Amino acid sequence: MGAMKKTATRTETSPETGTDTDTTADTETAAGMRADADADMGRDAGTDAGSSTDAGARARTGRAERAARAGAAVSAGRLAGKTALVTGGSRGIGRGIAERLGRDGALVAVHYGTNEAAAKETVAAIERSGGSAFAIGAELGRPGDARALWSAFDAHADGLDILVNNAGIGTSRPFADTDEAEFDRLFAVNAKAPYFITQLALERLRDGGRIINISSGVSHAAVLPDIMTYAMTKGALDVFTRNLSKVLGPRGITVNAVAPGIVDTDVNAAWLRGEENREAREGAAAMSALGRVGTVEDIADVVAFLAAPDGRWVTGQWIDATGGSLA
């Protein structure tokens, strides 16, 4: 349902967007900034140069110690030693998922289609939280896209444990206005690309691994019939999920689909945010049984559960993460 937006998105853009926030890290960073400010104020007031130097040194030491603690927490996370790939990880739900898996200890490959700068920002955010990540580019929906993606991945990592097929594009054209070019483009990016990315992943994906496909609530309910073609691509992804779980079960690999509803992201910002869009936001919130619009964290947490050891006995499932919008 995250495809409910006014214009189509780029390949690297998942149906939703946003970032996670580490409250502890933010608090500690603020403390470090105050220490730096105190040191600067001392110098400006003409205080002893040695005292200013000492204050600056203490601030730098404090930041180093906080970074070390964050790194230690990540290295002890439940995904420590695992490698994950998130397609469309430069923005949207993809970025939120990448950041969450990074905080849980995984080395994260952040895939992007065309927006390299956004991917590098996501990598930097993961690293600031003490995690490890790298960016890889491959524009999906083109011939050879899956091979190009894995060629870029192989230059950075040896083997895979978690694959999140998140990249997707949407449409705002109703059934009567959809032409063959748009139909083919939607299926190429949203259904064909994850199919062949996953096929080529199997020689890299270790036994006991995880495959998580980002679907949509619209694949199970005709709540937005004007985006029928998009819904059909997600329906294909759901069928792929169920059948692939049987194919890979003997290797202990779980395969599941997570279906977001309407999520507050920069893709949806044009009609969800701002005082002028209050009515649209209230209408979107009313669709959820919980009375609010979803957040990126809401979806990333579900994915994190499936990626972790806790999700070992769940496979072949379509998980409703719409906040009860389909209830």
Side-chain angles (χ1 to χ4, degrees):
M1 289 170 65
M4 184 176 175
K5 48 188 176 287
K6 299 300 182 183
T7 58
T9 62
R10 292 194 297 274
T11 302
E12 78 278 12
T13 305
S14 63
E16 299 82 8
T17 192
T19 58
D20 285 344
T21 300
D22 186 337
T23 303
T24 301
D26 287 348
T27 301
E28 293 178 344
T29 300
M33 292 173 65
R34 286 194 297 273
D36 285 346
D38 290 344
D40 291 339
M41 289 175 64
R43 285 191 291 273
D44 292 342
T47 56
D48 178 70
S51 298
S52 297
T53 301
D54 290 345
R58 287 194 297 272
R60 289 191 294 273
T61 300
R63 289 196 298 272
E65 290 175 349
R66 289 191 294 274
R69 287 197 298 271
V74 168
S75 65
R78 56 184 179 172
L79 296 180
K82 304 293 186 182
T83 299
L85 166 62
V86 182
T87 68
S90 65
R91 295 173 60 198
I93 282 179
R95 175 168 177 164
I97 292 169
E99 290 187 359
R100 173 59 196 270
L101 297 182
R103 288 203 307 275
D104 283 352
L107 168 64
V108 183
V110 178
H111 160 262
Y112 67 93
T114 59
N115 197 338
E116 182 179 7
K120 288 183 176 179
E121 289 174 5
T122 303
V123 169
I126 293 170
E127 292 176 342
R128 284 195 299 270
S129 295
S132 299
F134 58 91
I136 57 172
E139 188 167 355
L140 305 186
R142 296 175 175 269
D145 53 2
R147 291 194 180 279
L149 182 150
W150 287 115
S151 177
F153 175 89
D154 291 340
H156 295 271
D158 180 16
L160 182 72
D161 301 283
I162 302 159
L163 171 61
V164 182
N165 285 309
N166 166 79
I169 56 174
T171 181
S172 58
R173 294 187 186 182
F175 169 65
D177 297 331
T178 300
D179 56 25
E180 287 191 35
E182 180 165 6
F183 183 96
D184 291 344
R185 176 67 173 159
L186 284 164
F187 271 89
V189 176
N190 296 358
K192 183 178 179 180
Y195 184 100
F196 287 102
I197 287 171
T198 304
Q199 186 185 78
L200 294 181
L202 297 186
E203 61 190 74
R204 299 164 175 86
L205 189 61
R206 287 179 271 266
D207 290 355
R210 303 284 192 266
I211 297 174
I212 302 161
N213 299 319
I214 304 302
S215 180
S216 172
V218 299
S219 72
H220 274 50
V223 292
L224 298 171
D226 277 351
I227 58 170
M228 181 191 306
T229 312
Y230 172 83
M232 290 171 64
T233 68
K234 293 303 185 178
L237 195 63
D238 297 343
V239 172
F240 177 55
T241 298
R242 290 192 297 272
N243 285 273
L244 189 63
S245 70
K246 298 286 188 176
V247 173
L248 299 182
R251 292 182 53 189
I253 297 171
T254 66
V255 187
N256 292 286
V258 174
I262 299 175
V263 177
D264 186 0
T265 67
D266 65 350
V267 174
N268 289 332
W271 65 278
L272 276 181
R273 299 179 187 173
E275 185 63 27
E276 69 279 10
N277 295 321
R278 174 182 291 184
E279 184 176 349
R281 185 178 183 87
E282 290 176 349
M287 294 178 67
S288 166
L290 300 174
R292 66 173 176 84
V293 174
T295 67
V296 170
E297 292 86 353
D298 293 332
I299 311 306
D301 288 350
V302 177
V303 173
F305 162 75
L306 294 171
D310 295 347
R312 64 191 176 276
W313 198 237
V314 180
T315 193
Q317 300 305 302
W318 183 87
I319 298 176
D320 183 335
T322 69
S325 296
L326 307 183

